[in-house]
């Protein structure tokens, strides 16, 4: 079958810079930044955050916060550390119900919230992480065109995002097979991502923890070095939550 004859295609952009002009038109996109922006977003919403306004930079975040100073928390990082004057950093563990329930979050991170800017041409943008991967797959079971956009770390590919893309692809294929759907076309990066995940899965079957692998990925090395090992451990949990956040492309807010 030619790619155009498939009813369903799953693609993966291993970095935002791999997205070609107009590639995302007509697509449902899943943005992932396992360490840590999308894990933080999923956890904050799970803990009662009202909505999240992702920002491409620190100044944009400050301007946004100035418009809603009493009802919002401003969070994010540079070089993994809380920004001067911000309330919180980019640790999913900071966004407890006590800290965020009932409030809006304005979030500026180095990779994840910037990657979202690359997705403006998509039809829909969902937010994925290991902690909600199966819920995202369920949402995509009957969606014809899916692209997973990996945020990477400092413009370079990082394995934890690729592993998420591979696991999500595998879960979508399983759900579609169970539903008796027609065959799904995987692009080359989607196939590479799924193989990467399956290698990890085999290691996990032999006793290795996913968090141990993440500690040695580009994003994980940075975080462990600056004392955020607990975040790496948290972000490696599969299916902790079943919430699927979506970025509203008009209001540029996630709920
Ligand atoms: O703080 C994070 O998790 C990262 C920055 S760094 O790579 O660890 O310095 O930001 P994110 O946008 O969540 O990748």
């Amino acid at each position: 079958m030619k790619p155009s004859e498939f009813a369903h295609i799953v693609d993966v952009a291993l970095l935002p810079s791999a997205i070609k002009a107009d590639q995302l038109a007509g697509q449902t996109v899943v943005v992932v930044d396992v360490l840590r922006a999308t894990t933080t977003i999923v956890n904050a919403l799970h803990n009662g955050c009202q909505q999240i306004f992702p920002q491409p930079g620190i100044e944009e975040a400050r301007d946004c916060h100035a418009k809603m100073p009493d009802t919002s928390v401003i969070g994010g990082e540079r070089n993994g550390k809380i920004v001067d004057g911000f309330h919180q950093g980019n640790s999913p563990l900071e966004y407890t119900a006590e800290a965020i329930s009932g409030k809006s979050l304005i979030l500026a991170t180095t990779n994840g919230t910037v990657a979202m800017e690359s997705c403006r041409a998509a039809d829909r943008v969902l937010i994925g992480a290991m902690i909600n991967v199966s819920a995202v797959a369920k949402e995509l079971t009957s969606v014809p065109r899916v692209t997973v956009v990996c945020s990477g770390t400092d413009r370079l590919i990082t394995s934890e995002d690729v592993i998420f893309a591979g696991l999500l692809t595998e879960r979508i294929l399983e759900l579609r097979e169970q539903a008796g759907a027609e065959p799904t076309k995987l692009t080359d990066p989607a196939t590479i991502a799924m193989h990467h995940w399956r290698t990890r899965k085999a290691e996990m079957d032999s006793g290795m923890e996913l968090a141990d692998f993440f500690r040695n990925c580009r994003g994980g090395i940075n975080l462990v070095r600056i004392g955020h090992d607990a975040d790496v451990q948290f972000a490696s949990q599969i299916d902790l939550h079943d919430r699927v956040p979506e970025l509203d492309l008009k209001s540029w807010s996630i709920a």
Side-chain angles (χ1 to χ4, degrees), residues 164-181:
F164 166 86
L167 171 56
L168 179 66
T169 302
E170 184 182 75
R171 293 265 152 100
I172 293 170
L173 293 184
E174 286 165 0
L175 288 169
R176 287 185 59 77
E177 198 181 319
Q178 283 162 22

Side-chain angles (χ1 to χ4, degrees), residues 24 29 54 56 115-123 125 247-252:
L24 299 183
V29 164
M116 289 170 201
E117 296 289 329
S118 315
C119 302
R120 287 187 182 266
D123 275 18
V125 178
L247 174 61
D248 182 286
L249 295 161
K250 288 203 180 87
S251 61
W252 208 249

